[in-house]
Amino acid sequence: MLLRSLVPLLFTLLAAAPFCVADDGYRLWLKYDVVADAALRKEYQRAAQFIVAGGESATLKTAAEELQQGLQGMLGKAVPMVGEEKGRKGGIILRTDAAAAKNAPLGPEGYRVFTDKQNIVITGRTDAAVLYGSFALLRQLQTRQPLTNLALTSTPKIQHRLLNHWDNPNGTVERGYAGSSIWKWYELPEVIDPRYRDYARANASVGINGVVLNNVNASARYLTAEYLQKVAAVAGVLRPYGIRVYLSVFWAAPKTIGGLPTADPLDQKVRQWWTSKTDEIYRAIPDFGGFLVKANSEGEPGPQDYGRHHADGANMLAAALGQHDGLVMWRAFVYKADAKGDRFKAASQEFLPLDGKFAPKVLVQVKNGPIDFQAREPFHPLFGAMPRTPLVLEVQLTQEYLGFATHAVYLAPLIKECLDADTHAKGPASTVARVVDGSVDQHAVSGIAGVANIGADRNWTGHPLGQANWYAYGRLAWDHTLTSQAIAEEWTRQTLTTEPRAVATVAGLMQQTRSIYVRYTTPLGLHHIMGQSIHYGPEPWLAQSDRPDWTSVYYHRADSEGLGFDRTATGSNALKLYQPAVQQLWGNPQTIAPDYLLWFHHVPWSQPLSTGRTLWDELCTRYYTGADSVQWLQQQWASVRPQLDAALHADVAARLQTQHKEALWWRDACVLYFQTWSRRPIPAPFTPPQRTLADVKQLVDLYQLR
Ligand code: BDP
């Protein structure tokens, strides 16, 4: 009797546990905290009394173990693994079944989770599919959904869903803001950090099935026999989770580690070197995914050094892959220093003539926008313009231009804006998403890449809300039709709280973060006006740099007449790279959405906009309301304090304070600087900045002190 009355108390305590023990964020969205609602917990317990792993493969075992771990946490009791169901009811049965695809076009990775004879069956054509289905079931429980009459069916729309690490052999991470690299190259292959496995679990739970381990500004060291052993050790940890490893390659490796006098892709010895190196890689890593290449970009060597073009280089690597099941992802992030040109057009100029010239194993990897991961960019004009080449969409999760790990910016709205943009390549609804998933041009292969935002910080991403960007990227890579709102809610429920009002508040504020960031940094289509080389803070006055296209004045073109880059026929005519329907959408300064205005038009300061204000007044309004909105974020965040872990809540609250301070810095720097051109007053009701332009300039100088 006493014991009975103690049980509910025990659960209450367990449920309250997260409030007592600080949540260090390590568990990400795979928290598996006990279900506090007793009735729901009972329902779950009834539905999950045993697990049948259905096979011996490492991936099936992994799926079953993950279910065990998750259920033990959420149900508060161990769930046994049994050999077979033997007419038992109330269990979870994993079943890899080639025939499972018969009734639904599941493909190799799609899953079905359904109720059959009072058991929950998780099935798919491959073990990896069953693993994804298992995580889908755990997601149901973590978001506290009912388990009755389950019918979950899902197939990934894009085949190759990659994370790109910009990690270096010495443990640094290019543009990384969450500590050093998680890959401990000096310890590998002997020491396997348990963190690699948790990394794999997180990726598999959202469907990421490939990772490029090293920076695109690549070191040749990864291709040495010594490092291939290390890479193989990492691949061994990731393999049961359905994740393949890839490497970024340094183009001149045949010279630096191969001892050849050239890296010319048409040279026979160079070709042989790559072929035997690739064979060596596959001997060490039989399921190696392939190569990612940054060539002839920002000083990296490439085929153009030998008078060859990108396709010569990519096709040479494709030939080296030969019969191996691997791909070449060749990046289109190229631009030459040209003060008179327009960087917007650079990739199109180099790549459009090559459409149709790439070997079947080659995909061209294109950033979401034509410049460089700015807070808002029009979609890259290569999407929809290279019908004979499969294009990988590359987005950046690490917040290089979006406030590092200090500013809260939920990226799903940014990624969705690109995915949903209509290229009009083959009539309406030729969205970037459908170009990338291959459905517009009927490509058999498709890919997407996210530049990772994780590091060795205990909570992986530095900013606790940065975890949502890793999560959202994976979910969108799997299914680009999901909404950013739904993903925000899903993530919040699994990671922060299941209390409905708090979920709505957190997801609601997350949804606003990106547009708020745009308003106080680069409203109305301004871009690339940030601090030189660090890419942090405002520096719109930057006029001198090693290259003209690394200054700010190159992009905003402010003068006494107005502001913005004329990319219409009277200017660079970059707009012409888009289909006529898109040209029409953006070609007229009167009708273009204000968010894109200064990307395409040089607009007089006194020009009235569709908002009813002049350009100058609208610009100021956005800077001021954007900075003020950070206070709104702070209020929203404060309101959910009782429902969240105290330490985590305090961490985000502190970061929001910094964000507010720096939003004011951006605002003051930009309005004061642009005012030197507009010569107009700050409009009512806003109060002019208390500090001078010299004051704010000093702040950036301090950041850049060596
Ligand atoms: C830029 C980064 C640089 C990267 C480059 C790239 O500033 O560090 O190497 O992109 O994508 O945004 O190659």
Side-chain angles (χ1 to χ4, degrees), residues 166 174-175 216-217 294 298 331 333 367 372-373 394 400-401 535:
W166 284 1
E174 178 147 347
R175 312 298 179 184
V216 286
N217 299 318
K294 173 177 179 177
E298 299 187 328
R331 293 176 90 228
F333 179 66
K367 290 188 181 184
D372 194 3
F373 297 139
E394 178 180 314
E400 173 180 0
Y401 298 97
H535 298 170

Side-chain angles (χ1 to χ4, degrees), residues 543-560:
Q544 293 297 323
S545 185
D546 294 346
R547 291 175 54 154
D549 48 1
W550 287 347
T551 66
S552 298
V553 298
Y554 174 98
Y555 295 96
H556 64 63
R557 313 249 156 159
D559 56 24
S560 53

Side-chain angles (χ1 to χ4, degrees), residues 15-23 31 33 464-465 491-507 509-510 636-653 656:
F19 298 98
C20 320
V21 183
D23 184 351
K31 287 216 160 130
D33 284 335
L465 299 185
W491 176 80
T492 304
R493 281 162 166 248
Q494 294 173 89
T495 315
L496 301 178
T497 173
T498 50
E499 200 281 315
R501 262 195 322 191
V503 171
T505 303
V506 173
L509 80 85
M510 283 167 68
Q636 294 295 299
W637 187 253
S639 77
V640 296
R641 201 172 68 150
Q643 282 78 39
L644 264 59
D645 173 82
L648 184 141
H649 188 273
D651 182 343
V652 172
L656 283 168

Side-chain angles (χ1 to χ4, degrees), residues 381-410:
L382 280 177
F383 291 113
M386 293 186 69
R388 297 166 72 191
T389 313
L391 301 183
V392 174
L393 168 64
E394 178 180 314
V395 296
Q396 193 183 42
L397 310 176
T398 190
Q399 290 171 230
E400 173 180 0
Y401 298 97
L402 287 96
F404 294 5
T406 320
H407 295 226
V409 185
Y410 172 53

Side-chain angles (χ1 to χ4, degrees), residues 373-377 399-404 406-409 411 414 512-531 535-541 552 555-556 563 595 598-599 618-630 633 658-674:
F373 297 139
Q374 299 298 292
R376 171 170 278 128
E377 293 202 29
Q399 290 171 230
E400 173 180 0
Y401 298 97
L402 287 96
F404 294 5
T406 320
H407 295 226
V409 185
L411 293 174
L414 183 159
Q512 296 305 317
T513 48
R514 187 280 191 121
S515 62
I516 291 172
Y517 184 83
V518 171
R519 281 175 97 90
Y520 67 73
T521 58
T522 47
L524 294 171
L526 284 172
H527 50 282
H528 210 290
I529 57 170
M530 69 288 152
H535 298 170
Y536 197 79
E539 202 174 0
W541 47 84
S552 298
Y555 295 96
H556 64 63
L563 179 65
D595 284 341
L598 304 176
W599 270 103
E618 185 63 35
L619 192 75
C620 292
T621 302
R622 292 194 181 208
Y623 273 116
Y624 274 82
T625 55
D628 284 350
S629 300
V630 181
L633 292 178
T658 312
Q659 185 174 350
H660 184 236
K661 191 172 64 188
E662 295 182 348
L664 294 173
W665 170 28
W666 266 98
R667 179 197 78 183
D668 290 355
C670 294
V671 300
L672 288 170
Y673 167 73
F674 289 125

